[in-house]
Amino acid sequence: MTKKIAIAGDRFMLPQVFQEKLVEVCGDGHDIRLLELPWPDVPMEHGYEVAGMDGLKEYLGSADEIVDFIGDAEVFITQLAPLSRAMFERMPGLKFVAVSRGGPVNIDMKAARAAGVTVVNTPGRNSSAVAEFTIGAILAETRLIRSGHESLRKGEWRGELYRADVTGRELSEMTVGVVGYGNIGTKVVRLLRAFGTKVLVCDPYVQLSADDRNAGVEHVSLDTLLSRSDVVTLHPRVSEETRNMMNADAFAKMKPGALFVNTARGPLCDYDALYDALTSGHLGSAMLETFAVEPVPADWPLLQLPNVTLTPHIAGASVRTVTYAAEMAADEVRRYIAGQPPVNPC
C-alpha cells in the first residue's frame, strides 16, 4: 500500500539521503515529499521560550511551516523539525515519526502518545564520530598540537615546546577518566585502550563489559575519577542529576594540571567555575566542543584563554553519521509499513 511520507531534512541530514535510504529498503512506490531546513547555516532554536513550543528544544522551523509541509502524510522523517501538542492536533493523519537523533528533544512525546503517534529515534548514530573526535581533542591538548599550530600561524617558532618541562605527555602514561558509559563512552574507552591508557569509568547505572573489565578498566565513583585522572572527558546525558555536575567543587577535586574535555553537552558544566579553575592555574587546560549558549558570544571570557581549545559543536558531524542515521530511520519506516514493532521506540 502506498504511503504518504514527508521528509524534512537539513543541510547536514540531507533530505535526499533520507529518501535514497528509504527507497533502498521500501521501494519507490511511495508518495515522498522533501523539505530542506537551513541548519546549520541558520542556528536552531535552543530554548523553551517560543509560544506554543513548550518544552521543545534544539529545533528549527515554525509550527505553520512544518504543519503545512507534512499535510496529510502518515509518516514523517526529520532531524530538527518541531512537533508540539498543537501541531499534532492539526495533523490527525500523522501516525509515525522517525527522528534521526539520539533523543527526541524537538518533539512533545507526551502529546505524541496522546495522539497515538509512534515516535522512533536513532540512538548511537554519531557515537563513533564523537568518540573519534574526543580522542583527537585529547591529543590536540596533551601533545600541544593546538599550541604549536597557533604559534606558527603567528610566525612564532616555539622550539621550547620540546623542553622536558614544557612538552606534553603520551596517552600510554596517563590516566583518563570517562564520565558516562553509553554509546559514546564505551567507544571512547575502547579507543583509549588501544593507546595503552589507564582508563577509569564513572557511570552509576551500568556495569563494565567483561572485555573492558578484563583489560584493566576500573569502575569508580566520580570523586575517585576526578582525583586520579590526568584527563576527564564527559559523555553522560543531560538530566537533573548531571546538570552542572562539573561545578567549582568538582573542578577543585581534579588533579592539578589536569585536562578537562567536554564533547557532550554544555549544561553539564559550570563554565564560570571552569574559567576560575583555568585562570587560577589549578587546571592545565580544557577542550570545549559544547557550550551553555550556542553560538558562543564573541566576548565570552573562555575564548580569550591561551590554554583552551574550542570547536563549534561539530564532534558528531561526519559523512557516516548522515548515512547511518538515514539507514536507521529508513529501516524503522520499513518495519512500520510491514506492521512490525519498532527497534528504537521513544
Coordinates of all heavy atoms in Angstrom, one line a residue, residues 163-218:
R163 N 61.1 21.2 25.3 CA 61.7 21.1 26.6 C 61.0 20.1 27.4 O 59.8 20.0 27.4 CB 61.7 22.5 27.3 CG 62.7 23.4 26.7 CD 62.6 24.8 27.4 NE 62.4 24.7 28.8 CZ 62.8 25.7 29.7 NH1 63.3 26.8 29.2 NH2 62.6 25.5 30.9
A164 N 61.7 19.4 28.2 CA 61.1 18.3 29.1 C 60.1 18.9 30.1 O 59.2 18.2 30.5 CB 62.2 17.6 29.8
D165 N 60.3 20.1 30.5 CA 59.4 20.7 31.5 C 58.3 21.4 30.8 O 57.4 22.0 31.5 CB 60.2 21.7 32.4 CG 60.8 22.9 31.6 OD1 61.0 22.7 30.4 OD2 61.1 23.9 32.2
V166 N 58.2 21.4 29.5 CA 57.1 22.0 28.8 C 56.3 21.1 27.9 O 55.1 21.2 27.8 CB 57.6 23.2 27.9 CG1 56.5 23.8 27.1 CG2 58.4 24.2 28.7
T167 N 56.9 20.1 27.3 CA 56.3 19.3 26.3 C 55.2 18.4 26.9 O 55.1 18.3 28.2 CB 57.4 18.4 25.6 OG1 56.8 17.8 24.5 CG2 57.8 17.2 26.5
G168 N 54.4 17.8 26.1 CA 53.2 17.0 26.5 C 53.6 15.6 26.9 O 54.7 15.1 26.7
R169 N 52.5 14.9 27.4 CA 52.6 13.5 27.8 C 51.9 12.6 26.8 O 51.0 13.0 26.1 CB 52.1 13.3 29.2 CG 52.8 14.2 30.3 CD 52.1 14.1 31.6 NE 52.1 12.7 32.1 CZ 51.3 12.3 33.1 NH1 50.5 13.2 33.7 NH2 51.3 11.0 33.5
E170 N 52.3 11.4 26.8 CA 51.6 10.4 25.9 C 50.5 9.7 26.6 O 50.4 9.6 27.9 CB 52.6 9.3 25.5 CG 53.8 9.8 24.7 CD 54.7 8.7 24.3 OE1 54.3 7.5 24.3 OE2 55.9 9.0 24.0
L171 N 49.5 9.4 25.9 CA 48.3 8.7 26.4 C 48.7 7.4 27.1 O 48.0 7.0 28.1 CB 47.3 8.4 25.3 CG 46.4 9.6 24.9 CD1 45.6 9.2 23.7 CD2 45.5 10.0 26.1
S172 N 49.8 6.8 26.7 CA 50.2 5.5 27.3 C 50.7 5.6 28.7 O 50.8 4.6 29.4 CB 51.3 4.9 26.4 OG 52.4 5.7 26.4
E173 N 51.0 6.9 29.2 CA 51.4 7.1 30.5 C 50.4 7.8 31.4 O 50.7 8.1 32.5 CB 52.7 7.8 30.5 CG 52.6 9.2 29.9 CD 53.9 10.1 30.1 OE1 54.6 9.9 31.1 OE2 54.1 10.9 29.2
M174 N 49.2 8.1 30.8 CA 48.3 8.9 31.5 C 47.1 8.0 32.0 O 46.8 6.9 31.4 CB 47.8 10.0 30.7 CG 48.8 11.1 30.5 SD 48.1 12.6 29.8 CE 47.8 12.1 28.1
T175 N 46.3 8.6 32.9 CA 45.0 8.0 33.4 C 43.9 9.0 32.8 O 44.0 10.2 33.1 CB 45.0 7.9 34.9 OG1 45.9 7.0 35.4 CG2 43.6 7.5 35.3
V176 N 43.0 8.4 32.1 CA 41.9 9.2 31.6 C 40.6 8.7 32.2 O 40.3 7.5 32.3 CB 41.8 9.0 30.1 CG1 40.5 9.8 29.5 CG2 43.0 9.5 29.4
G177 N 39.8 9.7 32.8 CA 38.5 9.4 33.4 C 37.4 9.6 32.4 O 37.3 10.7 31.9
V178 N 36.6 8.6 32.2 CA 35.5 8.7 31.2 C 34.2 8.7 32.0 O 33.8 7.8 32.7 CB 35.5 7.5 30.2 CG1 34.3 7.6 29.3 CG2 36.8 7.5 29.5
V179 N 33.5 9.9 32.0 CA 32.2 10.0 32.7 C 31.1 9.7 31.8 O 30.8 10.4 30.8 CB 32.1 11.4 33.3 CG1 30.8 11.5 34.1 CG2 33.3 11.8 34.2
G180 N 30.4 8.6 32.0 CA 29.3 8.2 31.1 C 29.8 7.0 30.3 O 30.8 7.1 29.6
Y181 N 29.0 5.9 30.3 CA 29.4 4.7 29.7 C 28.3 4.2 28.8 O 28.0 3.0 28.7 CB 29.8 3.6 30.8 CG 30.5 2.4 30.3 CD1 31.8 2.4 29.8 CD2 29.9 1.1 30.4 CE1 32.4 1.2 29.5 CE2 30.5 0.0 30.1 CZ 31.8 0.0 29.6 OH 32.5 -1.1 29.2
G182 N 27.8 5.1 28.0 CA 26.8 4.8 27.0 C 27.4 4.5 25.6 O 28.5 4.0 25.5
N183 N 26.6 4.8 24.6 CA 27.1 4.5 23.2 C 28.4 5.2 22.9 O 29.3 4.6 22.2 CB 26.0 5.0 22.2 CG 24.8 4.1 22.1 OD1 24.9 2.9 22.2 ND2 23.6 4.7 22.1
I184 N 28.6 6.4 23.4 CA 29.8 7.1 23.1 C 30.9 6.8 24.1 O 32.1 6.5 23.7 CB 29.6 8.7 23.1 CG1 28.6 9.0 21.9 CG2 30.9 9.4 22.9 CD1 28.2 10.5 22.0
G185 N 30.6 6.8 25.3 CA 31.6 6.5 26.4 C 32.3 5.1 26.2 O 33.5 5.0 26.3
T186 N 31.5 4.1 25.8 CA 32.1 2.8 25.6 C 33.1 2.8 24.5 O 34.1 2.1 24.5 CB 31.0 1.8 25.4 OG1 30.2 2.2 24.3 CG2 30.2 1.5 26.6
K187 N 32.8 3.6 23.4 CA 33.7 3.6 22.3 C 35.0 4.4 22.6 O 36.1 4.1 22.2 CB 33.0 4.2 21.1 CG 32.0 3.3 20.4 CD 31.3 4.0 19.2 CE 30.4 3.0 18.5 NZ 29.3 2.5 19.3
V188 N 34.8 5.5 23.4 CA 36.0 6.2 23.9 C 36.9 5.3 24.7 O 38.1 5.3 24.5 CB 35.6 7.5 24.7 CG1 36.8 8.1 25.4 CG2 34.8 8.5 23.8
V189 N 36.3 4.5 25.6 CA 37.1 3.6 26.3 C 37.9 2.6 25.4 O 39.1 2.4 25.6 CB 36.2 2.8 27.3 CG1 37.0 1.7 28.0 CG2 35.7 3.7 28.4
R190 N 37.2 2.1 24.4 CA 37.9 1.1 23.5 C 39.0 1.8 22.8 O 40.1 1.2 22.6 CB 36.8 0.6 22.5 CG 37.3 -0.5 21.7 CD 36.2 -1.0 20.7 NE 35.0 -1.2 21.4 CZ 33.8 -0.8 21.0 NH1 33.7 -0.2 19.8 NH2 32.7 -1.1 21.7
L191 N 38.8 3.0 22.3 CA 39.9 3.7 21.6 C 41.1 4.0 22.5 O 42.3 3.9 22.2 CB 39.4 5.0 21.0 CG 38.4 4.8 19.8 CD1 37.8 6.1 19.4 CD2 39.0 4.1 18.6
L192 N 40.8 4.4 23.8 CA 41.9 4.7 24.7 C 42.7 3.5 25.0 O 43.9 3.6 25.2 CB 41.3 5.3 26.0 CG 40.7 6.8 25.9 CD1 39.9 7.1 27.1 CD2 41.9 7.8 25.7
R193 N 42.0 2.4 25.1 CA 42.7 1.1 25.5 C 43.8 0.8 24.4 O 44.9 0.3 24.7 CB 41.7 0.0 25.5 CG 40.9 -0.1 26.8 CD 39.9 -1.2 26.8 NE 40.4 -2.4 26.3 CZ 39.7 -3.4 25.9 NH1 38.3 -3.3 25.9 NH2 40.2 -4.5 25.4
A194 N 43.5 1.2 23.1 CA 44.5 0.9 22.1 C 45.8 1.7 22.3 O 46.8 1.3 21.8 CB 43.9 1.3 20.7
F195 N 45.7 2.8 23.0 CA 46.9 3.6 23.3 C 47.6 3.1 24.5 O 48.7 3.7 24.9 CB 46.5 5.1 23.5 CG 46.1 5.8 22.3 CD1 44.8 5.8 21.8 CD2 47.1 6.6 21.6 CE1 44.5 6.5 20.6 CE2 46.7 7.3 20.4 CZ 45.4 7.2 20.0
G196 N 47.1 2.2 25.2 CA 47.7 1.7 26.5 C 47.4 2.6 27.6 O 48.1 2.6 28.7
T197 N 46.3 3.4 27.5 CA 45.9 4.3 28.6 C 45.3 3.6 29.8 O 44.5 2.6 29.6 CB 44.9 5.3 28.0 OG1 45.4 5.9 26.8 CG2 44.6 6.4 29.0
K198 N 45.5 4.1 31.0 CA 44.8 3.6 32.1 C 43.5 4.3 32.1 O 43.4 5.6 32.1 CB 45.6 3.9 33.4 CG 44.8 3.6 34.7 CD 44.5 2.1 34.8 CE 43.7 1.8 36.1 NZ 43.3 0.4 36.1
V199 N 42.4 3.6 32.1 CA 41.0 4.2 32.0 C 40.2 3.9 33.2 O 40.1 2.8 33.7 CB 40.3 3.6 30.7 CG1 38.9 4.2 30.6 CG2 41.1 3.8 29.5
L200 N 39.6 5.0 33.7 CA 38.6 4.9 34.8 C 37.3 5.3 34.2 O 37.2 6.2 33.4 CB 39.0 5.9 35.9 CG 40.4 5.8 36.5 CD1 40.6 6.9 37.6 CD2 40.7 4.4 37.0
V201 N 36.2 4.7 34.7 CA 34.9 4.9 34.2 C 34.0 5.2 35.4 O 34.0 4.5 36.4 CB 34.3 3.8 33.4 CG1 32.8 3.9 33.2 CG2 35.0 3.6 32.1
C202 N 33.1 6.3 35.3 CA 32.1 6.6 36.3 C 30.8 6.6 35.6 O 30.5 7.4 34.7 CB 32.4 7.9 36.9 SG 31.0 8.4 38.0
D203 N 29.9 5.7 35.9 CA 28.5 5.6 35.5 C 27.8 4.7 36.5 O 28.0 3.5 36.4 CB 28.4 5.1 34.1 CG 27.0 5.3 33.5 OD1 26.0 5.2 34.2 OD2 26.9 5.6 32.3
P204 N 27.0 5.3 37.3 CA 26.3 4.5 38.4 C 25.2 3.6 37.9 O 24.7 2.8 38.7 CB 25.7 5.6 39.3 CG 25.5 6.8 38.5 CD 26.6 6.7 37.5
Y205 N 24.9 3.7 36.6 CA 23.7 2.9 36.1 C 24.1 1.7 35.2 O 23.2 1.0 34.8 CB 22.8 3.9 35.4 CG 22.3 5.0 36.3 CD1 22.8 6.3 36.2 CD2 21.3 4.7 37.3 CE1 22.3 7.3 37.0 CE2 20.9 5.7 38.1 CZ 21.4 7.0 38.0 OH 20.9 8.0 38.8
V206 N 25.3 1.6 34.9 CA 25.7 0.4 34.1 C 27.0 -0.2 34.7 O 27.7 0.4 35.5 CB 26.0 0.9 32.6 CG1 24.8 1.4 32.0 CG2 27.1 1.9 32.6
Q207 N 27.2 -1.5 34.2 CA 28.4 -2.2 34.6 C 29.3 -2.2 33.4 O 28.9 -2.1 32.3 CB 28.0 -3.6 35.0 CG 27.1 -3.7 36.3 CD 27.8 -3.1 37.5 OE1 29.0 -3.4 37.7 NE2 27.1 -2.3 38.2
L208 N 30.6 -2.4 33.7 CA 31.6 -2.5 32.6 C 31.4 -3.8 31.9 O 31.0 -4.8 32.4 CB 33.0 -2.5 33.2 CG 33.5 -1.2 33.9 CD1 34.9 -1.4 34.4 CD2 33.5 0.0 33.0
S209 N 31.7 -3.8 30.6 CA 31.7 -5.0 29.8 C 32.8 -5.9 30.3 O 33.8 -5.4 30.9 CB 31.9 -4.7 28.3 OG 33.2 -4.2 28.1
A210 N 32.7 -7.2 30.1 CA 33.7 -8.1 30.6 C 35.0 -7.8 29.9 O 36.1 -8.0 30.5 CB 33.2 -9.6 30.3
D211 N 34.9 -7.4 28.6 CA 36.2 -7.1 27.9 C 36.9 -6.0 28.5 O 38.1 -6.0 28.7 CB 35.8 -6.8 26.4 CG 37.0 -6.7 25.5 OD1 37.9 -7.6 25.6 OD2 37.1 -5.8 24.7
D212 N 36.2 -4.9 28.8 CA 36.9 -3.7 29.4 C 37.4 -4.1 30.8 O 38.5 -3.7 31.2 CB 35.9 -2.5 29.5 CG 35.7 -1.8 28.2 OD1 36.6 -2.0 27.3 OD2 34.7 -1.1 28.0
R213 N 36.6 -4.8 31.6 CA 37.0 -5.2 32.9 C 38.3 -6.0 32.9 O 39.2 -5.8 33.7 CB 35.9 -5.9 33.6 CG 36.1 -6.1 35.1 CD 34.8 -6.6 35.8 NE 34.3 -7.9 35.2 CZ 33.2 -7.9 34.5 NH1 32.5 -6.8 34.3 NH2 32.8 -9.1 33.9
N214 N 38.3 -7.0 32.0 CA 39.5 -7.8 31.9 C 40.7 -7.1 31.4 O 41.9 -7.5 31.6 CB 39.2 -9.0 30.9 CG 38.2 -10.0 31.5 OD1 38.0 -10.0 32.7 ND2 37.5 -10.7 30.6
A215 N 40.5 -6.0 30.7 CA 41.6 -5.1 30.2 C 42.1 -4.2 31.2 O 43.0 -3.4 30.9 CB 41.2 -4.4 28.9
G216 N 41.5 -4.2 32.4 CA 42.0 -3.3 33.5 C 41.3 -2.0 33.6 O 41.7 -1.2 34.5
V217 N 40.2 -1.8 32.9 CA 39.4 -0.6 33.1 C 38.7 -0.7 34.5 O 38.2 -1.7 34.8 CB 38.3 -0.5 32.0 CG1 37.4 0.8 32.2 CG2 39.0 -0.4 30.6
E218 N 38.7 0.4 35.2 CA 38.1 0.4 36.5 C 36.8 1.2 36.6 O 36.7 2.3 36.0 CB 39.1 1.0 37.5 CG 40.4 0.2 37.8 CD 41.2 0.9 38.9 OE1 40.6 1.3 40.0 OE2 42.4 1.0 38.7

